[in-house]
Each structure stands twice: as C-alpha cells, then as structure tokens.
Amino acid sequence: MNSIAWFYFPARLAWRQLIFDRTKLIAATSGVLFACVLVFMQLGFRDSLYASAASAPTKLSGDLFLMHKQSEAMWRPVQFKRSELMRALGNPAVAEVYPLYLALAPFKNIETQVKRTLMVYGLDPDSMLFDLEGLKIRQIELRLKDTVLFDEFSRPEFGLIGHLLEVGRDVTEINDYKVRILGLFRMGVSFAADGNVITSDLNFMRIFPSRNLNDIDLGVIRLCPGVSAKQVQSELDDRLNEFVNIFTYDELLQYEKDYWANTAPIGFIFGFGTVMGLVVGLVIVYQILFTDIANHRNEFATLKAMGYEHGYFVRVVFASAFFLAILGFIPGYIFSVGLYQLAESQIFMPMPMTLSKVMTVFMFILSMCATAGLLAIRKLKSANPADMF
C-alpha cells in the first residue's frame, strides 16, 4: 500500500494541476506534439536516405567489391584500371570478376522532351551483376545495340514508361544518344538519382563516347563456394594496389550509408533537425512546468508546512512531465503516420514506421520531458513555508 501511495498520490496531484488550466495544457501538449512530429520526420527522412543509398548496392550479386579509394560513394565514382580487377583472378578462391560502369546522364522524356538526370549502369549482360527480375528476363536482348532497361520505380517526371512501351513508343535519348527501351526493372530512386537505367557495357560506351572499357567504376568479385570472403579480402589487399578499396557486401552497404551520414551535408541536416526538435520541445515543456510551479508556490509551501517531503514534490513534477509526454506522443505518432504516407507518395522512397523507430522516438520524448522536469524542480526549493506569513 505504501508503494502504491508513493506513486499514486503525486501522480493524481500532477494530473489535476495539468487539467486545471486547459489552455496551458493544450500549449504544453502542442509543444510535445510538435517535437514528436519533427523527430519522427527527421528520423524518417534519414532512414529513407540510408535505404535509398543502398538501393543499388543491395541488388548487387557479388562477394567482394573493388572501388577506388577516392570514390566517395557509388554515385560519385573515381575510375581505375580494369587490369586491377583482372589481377584478382590470380587468387584461386576467385571464381569470376566483372566490371561495372556508372555515370549520371540526362534522360529525355518521350512525351514532353524534357530532360532529367538519372543513373546509367553499364555491365556485361551475361554477368547478371544485379539480382533483378526484369534484367533476367531481358538478359539476351540487352546485347542488342542501343538498348536499355528502365527502372519503373523512377520518378514520374521521366514519363509513364510502362504505358508508353505498351503502345510501342520506346525510343528516347540518354546523354543526347538515341536508345530503345526494351523493358522495365525495379530498383528505386535515391537522393543521388531520380531514376535508373541499365544497359550493356558496349552500349554504355556508345552513350558516353569519352569513356573506355579499361576504366571501370566498380569491380565485382564472385568467390568459389565455401570460401571465406574475409580471408580472400585480406589476401587481395596484399596483392592489389593500395589505391583500391576491397569491400565485402556488408562493408559496401555501410560505406554508402556512411557517406550520406558523415560526408554529405544532408546527413548532418537531418541529425541537426532532430536535436532542434527536442530542444524546442524541452523549452516549451520546461516553461509550462516552471510556470505551473511558480503559480502554485503557496500551495506547495503549505504542503511542506504540513510535513510533505521534497521528494514528494519531485515526483509530482516528474509525473506531470510523464503525462505531457504521453499526451503529446500519441497524437504526434498518429499525425506522423499520415505524413509518412504523404512523403512516400511525393519522394518515391520508402519511409516505414517501424516499431523500433516508434520506441526510439517515445524514449526521446520521454527523456525530453524528464529533462524539462529536472530543470523545473529547482523552483520548488523556493517554496518556503515561512513565505506564507
């Protein structure tokens, strides 16, 4: 019974104080709601950024990957010699090696003739470097001259390519070079590119006449079954030149995410926005709790004179902070779910509302309110019973 009273009575007093002034309660709840929505959206955009950054790497079919050390990310590659990739074949554990060519180029909308930049991937059609159903179906046809495959998950500004292919309109230009679209595949857009195209390595050279087959952007290595990728990575690191990075599959994904998180300004922006949301919410909740304590200073002094200890009032303040966190989080979560759906429809990138994200944001909001309560508690010390007389 004592343990129940230790929690129940301070919480009941805190709740009555909050609902006594509905205007202040609405203001405090709105502040928490605003912070909650802002944190949800910043984390959502950040996770969407990381997911889109890995949209291409996750579809790659390989065990080890070579990239120039000056390459900041796959979409900003620095070429290196194809011979460096061929040297990897000297290791008996290496089964196959394939080069991958990447470049950004303007794509002409078939209907509007407006150009928009997308990412072009050039590869050996027999290599199946990407685990994509559309690529498997069109593997043989992709060997034909001036043919490409289009990512149907690209932004709609490129045109309704699926519909146009059905009516026989399949000719367009990439980098001012005329090509024919054979079919579609599904990869997804990213913050670096609004669309994607896959073509053969020879067609890639025709689209980009300044490039040559000996300068590659990414090397893909497939190992023999049962071989340790880490062991081969260590062996190749000693064999290959020092200007080449050798990544495992997981390391390549992490390298792409690290670029957006640490190198690209947008990663900092999302992190800074999350912090600012918490700071704004903390200030609002602190002001409400501080004002509430100041307005009831005489009442607190009376309770102290009656024998209530300082710890009782501390529990009252923290209970108020907890109630505000709950009252602000629930509508903030519901509002954020709707905003996530709206954002997905506009940016064409996934923004899942995962359970771990919900729990993370709730802990952020709860910590924010608790910190505000901790700062406001110092006002309780001035509630002296002697001031009543």
Side-chain angles (χ1 to χ4, degrees):
M1 183 63 183
N2 290 335
S3 61
I4 297 177
W6 185 88
F7 170 79
Y8 174 73
F9 290 112
R12 187 175 65 173
L13 177 59
W15 176 251
R16 290 183 175 180
Q17 279 187 235
L18 287 175
I19 64 176
F20 177 76
D21 191 336
R22 300 297 175 89
T23 303
K24 288 184 179 180
L25 177 60
I26 293 174
T29 303
S30 299
V32 177
L33 186 150
F34 172 78
C36 179
V37 171
L38 185 55
V39 173
F40 262 125
M41 295 309 298
Q42 294 296 323
L43 293 180
F45 284 129
R46 186 203 64 181
D47 292 345
S48 179
L49 168 66
Y50 295 160
S52 68
S55 60
T58 53
K59 303 295 192 303
L60 281 172
S61 177
D63 300 300
L64 295 174
F65 304 90
L66 301 187
M67 184 184 291
H68 199 288
K69 287 189 175 181
Q70 293 181 2
S71 295
E72 294 181 307
M74 278 185 60
W75 76 280
R76 299 187 67 178
V78 174
Q79 287 81 45
F80 61 97
K81 294 301 179 182
R82 183 173 181 170
S83 58
E84 199 64 29
L85 175 62
M86 296 299 107
R87 291 177 62 188
L89 286 171
N91 190 301
V94 175
E96 300 173 323
V97 296
Y98 292 102
L100 181 63
Y101 305 90
L102 305 93
L104 293 169
F107 177 96
K108 180 181 287 188
N109 187 304
I110 297 176
E111 294 182 297
T112 65
Q113 302 298 298
V114 175
K115 296 180 180 179
R116 191 180 182 93
T117 302
L118 48 59
M119 179 66 74
V120 182
Y121 296 91
L123 48 78
D124 181 349
D126 296 327
S127 65
M128 294 303 299
L129 290 185
F130 287 104
D131 186 16
L132 301 166
E133 188 63 31
L135 179 57
K136 296 176 182 177
I137 297 174
R138 302 287 184 173
Q139 177 183 357
I140 298 177
E141 296 177 75
L142 201 60
R143 300 172 185 170
L144 299 176
K145 183 180 178 182
D146 302 337
T147 57
V148 302
L149 297 175
F150 185 84
D151 182 6
E152 64 175 314
F153 284 172
S154 300
R155 290 188 60 85
E157 287 82 356
F158 291 101
L160 302 176
I161 303 300
H163 172 71
L164 293 173
L165 293 181
E166 292 177 357
V167 298
R169 301 183 63 183
D170 58 0
V171 177
T172 185
E173 293 181 5
I174 300 178
N175 201 32
D176 297 325
Y177 186 85
K178 187 175 292 186
V179 296
R180 182 167 66 91
I181 303 175
L182 293 174
L184 305 173
F185 65 93
R186 296 180 176 180
M187 181 181 291
V189 302
S190 67
F191 276 77
D194 292 332
N196 302 287
V197 159
I198 293 178
T199 187
S200 70
D201 47 3
L202 296 179
N203 285 328
F204 184 92
M205 299 305 153
R206 296 186 181 102
I207 296 172
F208 303 96
S210 62
R211 296 288 301 271
N212 66 80
L213 291 172
N214 291 324
D215 294 327
I216 69 176
D217 299 291
L218 185 73
V220 181
I221 300 174
R222 290 176 180 153
L223 304 178
C224 298
V227 175
S228 170
K230 279 290 187 181
Q231 180 179 347
V232 178
Q233 179 189 36
S234 178
E235 294 173 357
L236 291 180
D237 191 51
D238 295 332
R239 177 188 294 267
L240 303 182
N241 288 329
E242 60 181 12
F243 62 80
V244 176
N245 276 325
I246 307 172
F247 297 117
T248 63
Y249 180 81
D250 292 335
E251 288 172 350
L252 179 64
L253 296 182
Q254 190 61 46
Y255 188 80
E256 292 292 308
K257 293 179 181 180
D258 288 344
Y259 167 77
W260 292 104
N262 304 320
T263 304
I266 195 168
F268 172 79
I269 291 172
F270 289 148
F272 185 75
T274 301
V275 174
M276 288 306 300
L278 293 174
V279 170
V280 171
L282 186 148
V283 171
I284 294 175
V285 174
Y286 166 74
Q287 289 292 339
I288 295 296
L289 294 177
F290 187 88
T291 303
D292 194 54
I293 294 172
N295 291 340
H296 296 88
R297 185 166 172 267
N298 290 336
E299 288 83 349
F300 282 121
T302 301
L303 291 174
K304 278 188 176 182
M306 294 172 60
Y308 284 87
E309 297 180 353
H310 181 73
Y312 177 85
F313 304 108
V314 172
R315 294 194 294 274
V316 170
V317 175
F318 276 113
S320 299
F322 177 77
F323 288 138
L324 289 176
I326 297 295
L327 292 174
F329 177 80
I330 294 176
Y333 164 74
I334 296 173
F335 193 50
S336 297
V337 170
L339 290 178
Y340 270 41
Q341 295 175 352
L342 176 63
E344 283 184 336
S345 67
Q346 296 299 313
I347 66 176
F348 297 91
M349 285 184 282
M351 287 184 64
M353 181 65 77
T354 61
L355 179 60
S356 61
K357 186 181 298 180
V358 173
M359 296 303 298
T360 298
V361 175
F362 177 71
M363 294 307 298
F364 278 164
I365 298 302
L366 189 60
S367 300
M368 176 193 75
C369 292
T371 303
L374 186 65
L375 295 174
I377 283 174
R378 59 182 180 175
K379 185 64 178 178
L380 286 172
K381 296 180 179 179
S382 63
N384 194 330
D387 295 336
M388 296 290 296
F389 307 100

